[in-house]
Amino acid sequence: STKGELDKALTYLEKALAMERENGYRPGVANQLGNIALIHSAKDELDKALECHQEALAIYRKIGYQPGVANALGNIGLIHSAKAESDKALKYYEEALAIHWEIGYQPGAANDLGNIGLIYSAKGEFDKALKYHEEALAIHREIGYPRGVANQLGKIGSIYGTKGELDKALKHHEEAQAIDREIGYERGVANDLGNIGLIYSAKGEPDKALKHYDEALVIDRGIGYQRGVANQLGNIGSIYRAKGEPERALMYSVEALTTYREIGYQPGVASALSNLGNAYVRAMQMRMTAPRAAVRDKEVAGLAEKAIEYLVPALAMFLEMGIADGPRQCLWGLDECCKVLGREEFVALCVRAGMSKQKAEGLAEARPTAAE
């Protein structure tokens, strides 16, 4: 939906909420609050969405309507997850799951299981995550919900990709894409294409990866899904970085960062900062092979400084949010910068970018200086 359509929907829902409040019909109030929260979520207004879901939860608890309680708990978990507050999200998902099992509502249980799997993936506990996603997949197949089947296949594929089992990953993502195309779920198709691109990138086939990312980007732009747009821009930037085209990598990474910041998606901001920093690292490495040593040295140091400016805040964000795989790429880029700058300058630049001196010195001590 476009922003205008979302705003129009919000106006109607707020009028409906006012009428329900006036009538004193509490289930109606809770229901409209949940609907309004979904619009705020779609607009990436997460704090407003959270407030609505919490009010709905309080009403459902007061009237003793367990399906509503479980649904509100799951929605609150989704908001905390989007805010990268994984431990809070997990608590709400587990509480929702317990209620869904108790009342025998399988679609709800499957959603909760999948959401719990995502949290464990973010924490780097991939085998645990796989168990939850496979359980969710089995339920979706059993109840005949193809969108849920495709979604869980995609999540399982992503875990296999992270574990380095690339052929298994590709099989799951392609099966997910076939289902999403069959049911006409464009956002799912774009996501599947992006995931397939990631696998081809990991297999060392950048041109195939780029083809899938470009197709996904077109779909995400067409449906106005900004987070998807930013994801694909970041992926395309990473491919150009790997292909030794740092200027194009920077262009895509900057656009990804801008988009993530606009929608307030912090994990994406961290990822884009990391991609930007490493694009400067790649440019630095290429510049080191250029002729005219004196000019080269000055430019190399400038590129390293730019890289550190992005990599330090990215690393801090990844660590704060507990995103397991994020720090690795940042640390690689910082290590490359340390190689060419030497300990003293490296530490000074890291401190200027916001890192504590003790931590910067620790990173520098972990490797010899460029002069050595």
Side-chain angles (χ1 to χ4, degrees), residues 28-316:
V29 171
N31 186 46
Q32 295 305 336
L33 283 164
N35 291 333
I36 289 168
L38 294 176
I39 300 292
H40 283 308
S41 289
K43 294 175 70 177
D44 289 289
E45 297 170 351
L46 300 181
D47 290 331
K48 285 182 181 178
L50 187 60
E51 196 177 304
C52 289
H53 284 313
Q54 284 170 337
E55 190 181 345
L57 175 62
I59 293 169
Y60 285 131
R61 281 195 162 138
K62 189 170 278 190
I63 64 177
Y65 183 56
Q66 290 299 84
V69 171
N71 187 48
L73 287 165
N75 285 329
I76 291 169
L78 287 172
I79 301 296
H80 284 302
S81 184
K83 287 161 73 76
E85 297 167 351
S86 56
D87 290 330
K88 280 185 181 176
L90 188 59
K91 173 181 168 289
Y92 283 100
Y93 291 149
E94 286 174 340
E95 200 176 335
L97 178 62
I99 294 171
H100 279 137
W101 282 138
E102 189 184 324
I103 64 177
Y105 185 56
Q106 285 189 298
N111 285 340
D112 300 329
L113 288 163
N115 288 332
I116 291 168
L118 288 174
I119 296 295
Y120 282 119
S121 279
K123 286 170 164 283
E125 298 180 47
F126 299 114
D127 291 332
K128 213 169 186 178
L130 203 54
K131 174 180 164 288
Y132 281 98
H133 287 306
E134 283 172 344
E135 197 176 343
L137 174 63
I139 295 172
H140 284 309
R141 286 199 198 276
E142 188 185 328
I143 63 177
Y145 182 49
R147 190 187 289 190
V149 171
N151 185 39
Q152 294 309 315
L153 284 167
K155 299 299 184 284
I156 291 167
S158 294
I159 290 172
Y160 280 126
T162 304
K163 285 161 70 75
E165 298 178 50
L166 301 182
D167 291 332
K168 271 189 185 177
L170 192 58
K171 176 177 168 289
H172 281 80
H173 288 314
E174 285 176 340
E175 191 181 343
Q177 185 197 187
I179 294 169
D180 281 327
R181 283 196 190 277
E182 191 179 327
I183 63 176
Y185 183 45
E186 286 190 288
R187 182 158 151 184
V189 172
N191 191 50
D192 301 326
L193 286 164
N195 285 331
I196 291 168
L198 288 171
I199 300 303
Y200 279 121
S201 180
K203 284 164 83 75
E205 300 181 56
D207 292 329
K208 276 189 181 177
L210 198 55
K211 175 179 169 289
H212 284 83
Y213 293 148
D214 282 336
E215 194 180 341
L217 179 61
V218 169
I219 295 171
D220 280 326
R221 284 201 198 279
I223 63 176
Y225 181 48
Q226 289 300 91
R227 190 184 299 180
V229 168
N231 287 345
Q232 303 315 328
L233 289 166
N235 288 335
I236 292 167
S238 295
I239 292 292
Y240 282 122
R241 187 177 78 235
K243 284 164 75 76
E245 299 181 49
E247 285 183 10
R248 289 182 89 170
L250 284 166
M251 181 182 76
Y252 281 99
S253 298
V254 165
E255 194 178 345
L257 177 61
T258 302
T259 307
Y260 281 130
R261 281 186 166 150
E262 278 173 8
I263 64 175
Y265 184 57
Q266 294 305 100
V269 171
S271 178
L273 287 168
S274 173
N275 285 338
L276 260 171
N278 283 325
Y280 279 112
V281 171
R282 188 78 177 107
M284 175 190 82
Q285 290 172 326
M286 293 177 71
R287 190 65 202 154
M288 284 168 70
T289 63
R292 297 193 303 157
V295 174
R296 184 202 67 190
D297 289 346
K298 188 176 179 183
E299 288 189 6
V300 164
L303 290 166
E305 183 175 348
K306 288 295 289 181
I308 288 168
E309 187 183 313
Y310 289 106
L311 290 170
V312 166
L315 178 61

Side-chain angles (χ1 to χ4, degrees), residues 358-371:
Q358 185 181 5
K359 188 163 188 175
E361 286 173 343
L363 288 179
E365 289 302 319
R367 55 155 300 99
T369 61

